[in-house]
Amino acid sequence: MAAFSKLFAEQIGPKTCQTLGIHQESCLNHCLKDIPLYLLSNFKYFAPICLLPMLIHFRSINKAKLRQTLKYYAECAVIGGGVGYSVDVLICTLRYLLGHFGYYSSFYCPTVIGGCLYNLASNKTRTLFETSIFQCNIETFLLRRRNFVSRLIADSKYLQTYIFMICSALILQGKYLYNLKGFWFLEPNPKVPEVENSEHSKCQLHPKMSCQHHLVHGMRNYFLLGFTLDIIKALMSRVNVAKDQSKFLAKIKNFRIRSMALLTAYIGIYRFTHCYLNRKYPHMKNLNHIISAFLSGFCYNLYPQSNIFSYALLRIPFARILFPFGLANMVHNVCLRPEYCSPLTFAITCGVTNDYPHVIKHEVQLIKQKIQREI
């Protein structure tokens, strides 16, 4: 870290925005030109995140839900664009005021200040932003492997699976008992009243359909949801395009079965186990649900994904205070330490900032390579 800070001060600090390659025009023209670009980038980035649930539940949508969804979408895009644009302006402003790029004043400090704008958003929008940012920081913590705990978790798929199973049980049980809000991969089965007569012929979880129909219905819905998410991930991913290949075809070839398999297995294990236990032991409803939620987390061992594991760990207190610093740490790492950043981190930072950190990261890497060749 100390060596790179010295390298930054000597090789990058004295440069201007133009000589560094961040932008070719003057800082004022750059900031004025980027206003619509930031808005467009954010409306594009938040479209699948905010509008996908509306498409999934298209049959039950009404005017009120449509209006709320569009308002939520617009707020996410405007607030995200405002945060990204303010960081852009502050990077140029602080360089002008200080006369040079500083290791922390270049990206970290502008992002801390700009990140405070997210407090203008509603609770729902702030929750989305906090979830994404802290999830990326957890992934960075695991990727850096700087201590025994992070190395132990990052290197063991079985330990990750066990932790994920515990998180699955805690989260689903909380939603089952107390109707807790917040996104999780599936909604728990409805809580049913205690029964006096255990000699019942139908499962109380779904009295209007058979257990087989209940299982197949859930797996079908989550299969379609996961398939849609995998398509979106493939289309939004960065790919290396060959000369004789179109960009769209390259992204189609980049399609991977991940969310589809994970969500289908998750709901399948959960509903099968919960139905079986409730029919076998009808007077142990809470314990039945805890066991079902715990076992359903085993699907992570079949289809491990670091971003899903990080999200399962995510329960950060004092989020409104920590958010600007978490965002700053993420942007700082993307620009200067990209090897410690996950694909999700790159997707978020480039999506809300019109690809700005990616440009800076590229220029910094070129300078590093040039210095290494000279040495």
Side-chain angles (χ1 to χ4, degrees):
M1 177 65 74
F4 184 70
S5 300
K6 182 179 179 180
L7 172 66
F8 186 96
E10 294 176 352
Q11 302 295 332
I12 299 176
K15 295 181 181 293
T16 64
C17 297
Q18 291 78 17
T19 56
L20 188 57
I22 297 177
H23 54 78
Q24 301 302 322
E25 64 279 355
S26 67
C27 291
L28 178 60
N29 290 337
H30 166 73
C31 293
L32 292 175
K33 183 191 72 174
D34 274 10
I35 295 177
L37 297 179
Y38 272 79
L39 287 175
L40 180 62
S41 175
N42 277 265
F43 273 104
K44 177 182 176 181
Y45 173 75
F46 284 105
I49 298 174
C50 300
L51 302 181
L52 180 60
M54 182 180 66
L55 297 177
I56 295 173
H57 303 288
F58 180 76
R59 294 182 180 180
S60 61
I61 199 74
N62 53 40
K63 290 184 179 180
K65 290 183 179 179
L66 177 62
R67 184 165 54 249
Q68 291 174 357
T69 301
L70 294 178
K71 180 181 177 181
Y72 174 56
Y73 171 46
E75 183 182 13
C76 288
V78 172
I79 295 296
V83 170
Y85 180 72
S86 63
V87 173
D88 188 346
V89 173
L90 286 167
I91 288 174
C92 294
T93 303
L94 287 183
R95 188 207 64 82
Y96 177 77
L97 294 176
L98 298 176
H100 60 86
F101 281 113
Y103 187 69
Y104 287 104
S105 64
S106 298
F107 313 114
Y108 190 89
C109 292
T111 308
V112 169
I113 300 171
C116 295
L117 288 178
Y118 105 112
N119 287 285
L120 298 175
S122 64
N123 288 333
K124 184 178 181 181
T125 301
R126 287 200 303 268
T127 300
L128 172 64
F129 282 28
E130 291 161 3
T131 299
S132 303
I133 298 307
F134 293 130
Q135 179 180 344
C136 291
N137 277 277
I138 291 174
E139 290 185 15
T140 297
F141 169 77
L142 295 176
L143 286 171
R144 297 191 72 167
R145 293 174 165 83
R146 296 189 66 177
N147 55 56
F148 173 75
V149 175
S150 62
R151 289 194 296 270
L152 182 65
I153 296 175
D155 295 336
S156 175
K157 184 179 72 171
Y158 297 105
L159 181 57
Q160 291 179 26
T161 301
Y162 183 68
I163 295 174
F164 185 84
M165 293 170 75
I166 294 175
C167 292
S168 174
L170 292 174
I171 295 169
L172 281 176
Q173 183 68 4
K175 294 175 74 69
Y176 176 76
L177 291 179
Y178 306 110
N179 194 29
L180 297 180
K181 303 299 180 183
F183 170 76
W184 185 243
F185 307 108
L186 60 88
E187 288 298 317
N189 289 322
K191 190 176 180 181
V192 295
E194 297 292 338
V195 295
E196 296 181 1
N197 182 15
S198 61
E199 299 297 328
H200 51 80
S201 58
K202 291 186 177 180
C203 182
Q204 291 183 309
L205 295 172
H206 42 81
K208 296 183 179 180
M209 65 177 71
S210 65
C211 291
Q212 291 82 357
H213 187 194
H214 179 65
L215 177 63
V216 171
H217 182 266
M219 294 182 68
R220 182 195 63 190
N221 288 347
Y222 279 85
F223 173 89
L224 295 175
L225 174 61
F227 182 67
T228 305
L229 291 175
D230 284 334
I231 292 177
I232 292 174
K233 288 179 183 178
L235 294 178
M236 294 182 67
S237 62
R238 292 183 175 275
V239 292
N240 295 323
V241 183
K243 294 182 179 180
D244 58 343
Q245 187 181 40
S246 68
K247 187 175 181 179
F248 178 77
L249 183 59
K251 290 192 173 186
I252 292 298
K253 289 185 177 181
N254 195 45
F255 175 80
R256 297 292 184 273
I257 297 176
R258 291 170 181 162
S259 299
M260 178 178 68
L262 180 71
L263 293 179
T264 305
Y266 197 174
I267 189 68
I269 298 172
Y270 173 74
R271 288 196 172 182
F272 174 83
T273 309
H274 201 192
C275 286
Y276 174 80
L277 292 176
N278 265 17
R279 290 176 65 91
K280 195 79 172 176
Y281 310 102
H283 296 293
M284 301 171 58
K285 290 188 169 42
N286 280 341
L287 181 60
N288 292 343
H289 186 263
I290 293 173
I291 294 174
S292 303
F294 177 78
L295 292 178
S296 63
F298 183 75
C299 65
Y300 181 88
N301 186 63
L302 305 176
Y303 309 101
Q305 297 185 49
S306 61
N307 59 328
I308 292 178
F309 173 74
S310 299
Y311 181 77
L313 291 176
L314 184 61
R315 287 299 179 266
I316 303 293
F318 308 111
R320 295 185 67 175
I321 298 174
L322 297 176
F323 175 84
F325 299 97
L327 179 63
N329 183 64
M330 190 173 73
V331 173
H332 181 82
N333 284 328
V334 167
C335 295
L336 303 180
R337 297 283 184 176
E339 64 271 21
Y340 297 131
C341 298
S342 66
L344 177 63
T345 302
F346 285 113
I348 292 175
T349 52
C350 293
V352 300
T353 59
N354 190 36
D355 216 22
Y356 195 46
H358 182 73
V359 174
I360 298 174
K361 179 200 72 172
H362 177 68
E363 295 301 325
V364 172
Q365 286 180 330
L366 290 179
I367 292 175
K368 286 183 180 179
Q369 294 172 2
K370 180 180 178 181
I371 293 173
Q372 289 175 351
R373 286 196 298 268
E374 292 176 355
I375 296 175

